[in-house]
Amino acid sequence: MSEQAFDITPDRITDSDQAKEAVADLREALRYHAYRYYVLDDPIIADPEYDRLFNILEVLEEKFPALQSPTSPTQQVGGAPRQSMGLVRHPVPMLSLRAVYTQQEARDFDATCRQELSLGLMTYVAEPKYDGLAVELIYENGALVFASTRGDGYTGEDILANVKTIREIPLQLLSLDKEPVPERLVVRGEIYMRKDEFNALNQRREESGDNVFANPRNAAAGSVRQLDPKITASRPLHLFVYEVAECRGREFTQQWEMLAALPKWGLKTNTRWQEKCSGIEPALEFFRRLSETRDDLPFEIDGVVIKVNDRQAQQALGFRQRDPRWALALKFPARQGTTRITDITVQVGRTGALTPVAHLQPVTIGGVEVKRASLHNLHQIESKDVRIKDWVLVERAGDVIPQVIKPFPDKRSGQEQPFVMPETCPVCGGPVVTSRDRKQSHCTNIDCPAQIRERMVHFASRRAMDIEGLAGRRIDQLLNTGLVRHIPDLYRLRREDLVQLEGFGSKSADNLLREIEDSKSTALERFVYALGIPHVGEHLAQVLAARFPDLDALSRASEQTLQAVHEIGPEVARSVRAFFSNPGNRKVVHDLLEAGISLDNPLHAATVQTKSLQGRTFVFTGTLQNWTRDQAREIVEGLGGRVTGSVTGNTDYIVAGPGAGSKLDKARSKGIAVLSEEDFARIIGQEAGDSRQ
C-alpha cells in the first residue's frame, strides 16, 4: 500500500495528472485501512486519520469530477432514492438449506453422505446459521457490479445501491498475500445487525415515536430493502461471506480453503466461529457449544450450518429441487410461543415514557419461561389490534425483551377487552400526554419517582447545567443515601454531608459544591433543555429562548403562541404547555430559582438587536479556512438566515472555499451570488479569521 496518501494536501493539487495519482493513492490507502478495520478488526491508524484521508478524497473528487468512480470509498454514503428495487437473475441458483431440528437427523445426514461417497469418515465445515438477510454479490475485474437478495432462488431484488453504503462490503476487491483478484467472483453472505446496535436503534426509534423492529433480522432486511439508500447508510449493517458460487480463474478443492481465501480479497468471513470437523460428532459438539453461548454472541443465530468440506464431493452429492444434498441447517429450539394475555399494565421509564407491558400466561420459549412481553406503545397495540385476554404469538430473541408479534383473532371468545392508556401516571399520579400519532406517552411530572434518577443525570449533563462530577454513579449514591430526593435538593447539599460518603474527601466535596454553585448562573436555553421537557431537545430549547425574553414568558405561553414559533409544531407546543401547567413542575422550577439559579438570555437579546440575514439562504462549498461548517451554520442561523446542503433556485449566496466544485458551477449557472470567506466575514460583521469558538 502506498504511503503517499498521508502527505496529500488538496489545495496544492492544481492539475488532473497530480489529482489522478493522489486519488489513486488515497483510494488504495482507504481500502486497505477499511480492510484492517472491518475485516481484521485490527486498525493501524486512528479514526480521525482515516476521516482526514476520506475528506481529502471527497474534496479532490469534487474538484476533479472526471475522476469520480462508482467503486470509490466515497460512494459508500447513499445516493438518490429510487422508484423501485428492480430484479437480478442469479447466475447460479441461490437455494435454501434443508432444516433439521434433532442431532439424530444430522447423524442420518452424515450416514447418507458417507454411504453415497463410499467413505468411512467425512470432513465437514461447521459455522453459525446467521439470522439476517441472505445476499449475493458479483464482482467483475474486482469491481462490485451486482448485489441482490435471495428472492425465489433464481431471481432476487436489486439492492446494489443500498449494499454499497455498507462499509464492510468492498466496492473494489483487494489483492493481499499474493492472492490475485478473480476475473469474476460470485459470493453469498448474510447481512446482519449486531444486537447492541439493534437495541440502540430501537431505542432511538421509540424515543422519536417510530415503530420499533421486532428483531435484528427484520431490522437488517428492512434497512437493505429501502428505496432511499441514505436510510440504509444510516443503519448499522454488517456482512459475513460464507460461500463462493462462481470464481473465474481460481479453483477451490475445499470449503475451508475457500473461506481462507475470501479475506485476502477484502471480504469478511466469521473466522472466530467456524470449524473444520473430522466427522459429524465434532460438528455436533460445535452445535452444542454454540447453543449454550448463543446469547453471548454479538449477533443473532438460529442454528448451525454443516457443509461437506470437499468441493468435488459436494458436486458428486448434487442437489435436490430446493436445497443442496451436501449441506444442512441444524436449528436451535424455536424462540416463539403461543400464549394468552392476562392483563396489560403500564411501565414508567426513567425518561417518563409510558410503555404498555403484556402480562402472559407463562410460556416456555427457547428454554426460558416468559411471563411478560413489551407492547412498545399505544400505536402498536392499536395497529396490531392486541387486546386483553387475546391469544398471541410471542417472540424471544437473545437479550431482547420478549415481544408480542401478533394476536390470533380467530381464537377470540368475546371476553377480550381493548387497552386504554391511563390519563394519569400510575407511579405519581401526574398528567400523561399522548402524542397524536399514539406513538409516545409521557408522564409530564418532573418529580416523578420513576424517572428522577435519569432526570438528574440529564439535568447535570454537560450540555444542560454542566455540573462536572455529578454523573450516574454519584447521583445513585446521593439518592440511595437520601441526601437528595428531588432535583432542587442538589443545591442544598452540604460539605459535612458529602464527606461522610464513600469516595468523597474534603477536596472532592469542595469541587462538587463549587461546580453546583457555578451552575447557578446559566443561559435560559440550557435551563430549558435541562428541565427535560418531552420533545424539547437542545436545538428547540434554543429556538424557544430566542423567541421568549425569559422563563416567565415561556411558561405562560399558550399552545397557539408556541405554535406560531418557527420550528415548533403542535406536539412540541402541547408538551411545553402540559409541562408548565403541571403544579409539581412549577414547584420544582420555583424551588430551583429560589435556590439561586439566575438565567440570562443572550439568544433573545441577539434576536431583538439584529436579524440581518433574515430570509437569506446560504450554501457552503469547498474548504473553509476560518470557520468550521458548524460554526458558519450557527452564525448564519443566529442572524436569521438558513443553511442548506444543495444549490436551488431559493439559494441567495454560495460561500466558496478552496476545492469548491460542482456546487459552485451550478450556482454560477443560476446567477447566484458567489462569496469568498472575506465577503462572508464582511456580511456578518466579523473579521475573517475571528472564528467563533
Side-chain angles (χ1 to χ4, degrees):
M1 184 199 68
S2 171
E3 297 295 331
Q4 286 180 284
F6 292 91
D7 300 321
I8 294 170
T9 306
D11 55 6
R12 295 180 183 173
I13 296 176
T14 57
D15 65 68
S16 58
D17 289 338
Q18 282 181 303
K20 185 176 182 180
E21 182 178 355
V23 164
D25 286 342
L26 283 163
R27 288 174 181 165
E28 180 185 3
L30 288 167
R31 288 177 184 133
Y32 179 74
H33 290 304
Y35 163 78
R36 299 283 313 200
Y37 185 90
Y38 292 114
V39 178
L40 299 186
D41 291 323
D42 183 27
I44 57 173
I45 61 172
D47 289 350
E49 179 63 12
Y50 181 91
D51 293 340
R52 185 181 73 85
L53 298 178
F54 191 92
N55 291 337
I56 293 172
L57 179 58
E58 280 189 311
V59 170
L60 288 177
E61 289 181 344
E62 186 174 356
K63 188 175 180 180
F64 298 92
L67 296 179
Q68 294 177 2
S69 166
T71 62
S72 171
T74 61
Q75 297 304 298
Q76 293 189 292
V77 295
R82 297 161 297 158
Q83 296 299 313
S84 62
M85 301 294 290
L87 298 175
V88 174
R89 186 82 175 172
H90 298 306
V92 177
M94 192 173 176
L95 305 180
S96 57
L97 294 174
R98 180 169 70 95
V100 300
Y101 294 88
T102 67
Q103 295 182 41
Q104 184 55 49
E105 288 176 291
R107 293 187 180 98
D108 293 343
F109 159 78
D110 171 61
T112 299
C113 290
R114 289 188 291 107
Q115 180 179 351
E116 294 200 12
L117 295 170
S118 301
L119 292 175
L121 184 71
M122 295 291 300
T123 301
Y124 297 102
V125 173
E127 58 194 39
K129 184 180 184 301
Y130 309 107
D131 198 13
L133 179 70
V135 296
E136 177 177 82
L137 309 177
I138 300 179
Y139 290 87
E140 293 182 352
N141 298 316
L144 179 63
V145 292
F146 293 106
S148 59
T149 62
R150 183 194 305 277
D152 63 3
Y154 300 92
T155 302
E157 294 170 301
D158 178 6
I159 54 171
L160 179 62
N162 294 345
V163 158
K164 288 174 69 174
T165 71
I166 301 173
R167 297 288 184 180
E168 284 182 1
I169 299 179
L171 305 185
Q172 182 76 38
L173 295 178
L174 301 175
S175 178
L176 302 171
D177 295 342
K178 299 181 181 179
E179 187 74 59
V181 173
E183 178 185 344
R184 177 177 165 89
L185 179 68
V186 180
V187 296
R188 276 80 184 263
E190 198 90 0
I191 291 176
Y192 68 96
M193 190 177 290
R194 288 207 321 253
K195 289 187 281 194
D196 59 338
E197 294 172 330
F198 165 76
N199 291 334
L201 173 64
N202 260 357
Q203 183 176 345
R204 292 193 301 271
R205 291 177 69 84
E206 195 158 14
E207 289 171 354
S208 63
D210 295 324
N211 288 339
V212 295
F213 291 106
N215 49 54
R217 185 197 180 283
N218 288 4
S223 299
V224 172
R225 288 192 171 103
Q226 293 289 328
L227 291 178
D228 186 352
K230 288 187 175 65
I231 297 177
T232 308
S234 71
R235 304 273 174 81
L237 298 172
H238 306 273
L239 173 80
F240 281 133
V241 178
Y242 51 71
E243 187 61 62
V244 172
E246 182 182 341
C247 185
R248 195 171 298 168
R250 174 73 158 86
E251 294 292 331
F252 296 109
T253 59
Q254 295 183 350
Q255 188 81 10
W256 193 253
E257 176 194 10
M258 176 268 294
L259 289 172
L262 289 169
K264 297 176 183 179
W265 295 320
L267 295 163
K268 187 172 184 176
T269 61
N270 192 351
T271 54
R272 181 178 177 184
W273 287 102
Q274 55 192 24
E275 287 189 7
K276 186 164 69 168
C277 306
S278 297
I280 194 63
E281 291 306 323
L284 294 179
E285 174 56 32
F286 178 80
F287 169 81
R288 290 189 289 269
R289 194 163 68 247
L290 269 191
S291 180
E292 293 170 359
T293 60
R294 62 186 291 199
D295 287 344
D296 298 326
L297 295 177
F299 44 83
E300 286 286 358
I301 62 173
D302 58 1
V304 166
V305 175
I306 301 173
K307 300 176 182 176
V308 171
N309 184 44
D310 187 276
R311 304 277 283 189
Q312 285 189 338
Q314 291 179 5
Q315 293 179 3
L317 290 167
F319 297 84
R320 281 178 284 266
Q321 184 174 354
R322 296 191 57 81
D323 53 76
R325 300 179 70 244
W326 45 267
L328 86 167
L330 179 54
K331 302 288 287 292
F332 296 134
R335 288 201 158 181
Q336 289 187 335
T338 301
T339 186
R340 197 173 193 182
I341 296 177
T342 59
D343 196 8
I344 298 176
T345 60
V346 168
Q347 177 178 295
V348 183
R350 291 179 294 184
T351 61
L354 271 65
T355 302
V357 176
H359 296 257
L360 310 170
Q361 289 180 356
V363 57
T364 300
I365 303 176
V368 175
E369 185 178 72
V370 175
K371 297 179 180 179
R372 295 172 15 126
S374 174
L375 290 164
H376 300 294
N377 55 49
L378 190 55
H379 171 77
Q380 288 221 14
I381 291 176
E382 293 175 344
S383 63
K384 293 178 179 178
D385 189 22
V386 175
R387 305 178 189 180
I388 299 169
K389 305 297 184 183
D390 259 342
W391 286 93
V392 291
L393 180 67
V394 178
E395 179 175 272
R396 174 184 169 269
D399 55 4
V400 180
I401 297 172
Q403 304 170 67
V404 173
I405 302 302
K406 65 178 182 179
F408 296 105
D410 293 345
K411 291 189 174 185
R412 286 177 180 159
S413 64
Q415 298 178 344
E416 295 75 20
Q417 306 164 16
F419 168 75
V420 178
M421 181 66 72
E423 296 182 357
T424 58
C425 174
V427 175
C428 70
V432 169
V433 173
T434 298
S435 61
R436 292 183 181 177
D437 62 8
R438 320 285 274 175
K439 293 179 181 178
Q440 291 183 315
S441 299
H442 279 91
C443 167
T444 60
N445 179 16
I446 192 175
D447 230 13
C448 177
Q451 49 184 305
I452 191 64
R453 191 259 189 194
E454 286 303 309
R455 282 195 176 273
M456 281 191 182
V457 171
H458 174 74
F459 183 85
S461 64
R462 185 171 64 86
R463 295 184 178 275
M465 299 300 283
D466 193 20
I467 305 176
E468 188 175 345
L470 192 58
R473 187 174 63 84
R474 285 291 190 215
I475 288 173
D476 287 338
Q477 194 175 24
L478 295 173
L479 287 168
N480 292 338
T481 56
L483 285 180
V484 299
R485 293 180 56 204
H486 314 286
I487 290 174
D489 293 342
L490 296 171
Y491 292 91
R492 303 184 185 109
L493 288 170
R494 299 180 304 174
R495 185 176 187 273
E496 53 265 35
D497 294 325
L498 290 176
V499 295
Q500 301 299 319
L501 300 179
E502 182 181 351
F504 268 104
S506 298
K507 185 175 181 180
S508 57
D510 289 340
N511 288 341
L512 178 57
L513 291 174
R514 185 177 62 253
E515 286 287 333
I516 292 173
E517 184 66 27
D518 290 346
S519 75
K520 289 181 178 179
S521 296
T522 191
L524 177 62
E525 72 268 16
R526 278 182 170 269
F527 185 73
V528 171
Y529 176 57
L531 292 177
I533 303 171
H535 305 305
V536 178
E538 190 177 3
H539 173 67
L540 288 186
Q542 294 170 351
V543 170
L544 292 169
R547 167 59 180 81
F548 296 97
D550 51 41
L551 185 64
D552 184 57
L554 172 60
S555 66
R556 289 187 288 103
S558 66
E559 281 191 47
Q560 185 177 6
T561 301
L562 288 163
Q563 285 191 53
V565 180
H566 179 60
E567 295 190 69
I568 302 298
E571 295 290 351
V572 176
R574 219 153 59 92
S575 180
V576 172
R577 183 69 249 134
F579 182 88
F580 286 111
S581 296
N582 185 319
N585 293 346
R586 290 202 303 270
K587 184 179 187 308
V588 169
V589 172
H590 173 269
D591 290 350
L592 287 169
L593 298 178
E594 283 290 302
I597 290 179
S598 62
L599 307 172
D600 62 358
N601 193 1
L603 288 179
H604 183 71
T607 303
V608 172
Q609 288 173 5
T610 178
K611 282 291 185 181
S612 58
L613 301 182
Q614 188 71 45
R616 301 291 186 179
T617 299
F618 285 73
V619 171
F620 292 88
T621 185
T623 305
L624 299 181
Q625 304 295 319
N626 299 301
W627 297 275
T628 66
R629 291 287 179 90
D630 286 342
Q631 288 171 338
R633 177 186 292 274
E634 288 176 9
I635 291 169
V636 171
E637 291 177 350
L639 295 173
R642 182 168 172 260
V643 176
T644 64
S646 57
V647 177
T648 69
N650 295 323
T651 304
D652 296 293
Y653 300 104
I654 183 166
V655 181
S662 57
K663 290 181 183 178
L664 178 58
D665 296 335
K666 188 174 181 180
R668 284 173 173 159
S669 70
K670 290 179 174 291
I672 294 169
V674 178
L675 304 179
S676 65
E677 281 195 68
E678 291 74 17
D679 297 330
F680 177 63
R682 283 193 292 274
I683 285 180
I684 64 175
Q686 267 185 253
E687 292 295 326
D690 178 25
S691 62
R692 297 183 181 183
Q693 301 300 323

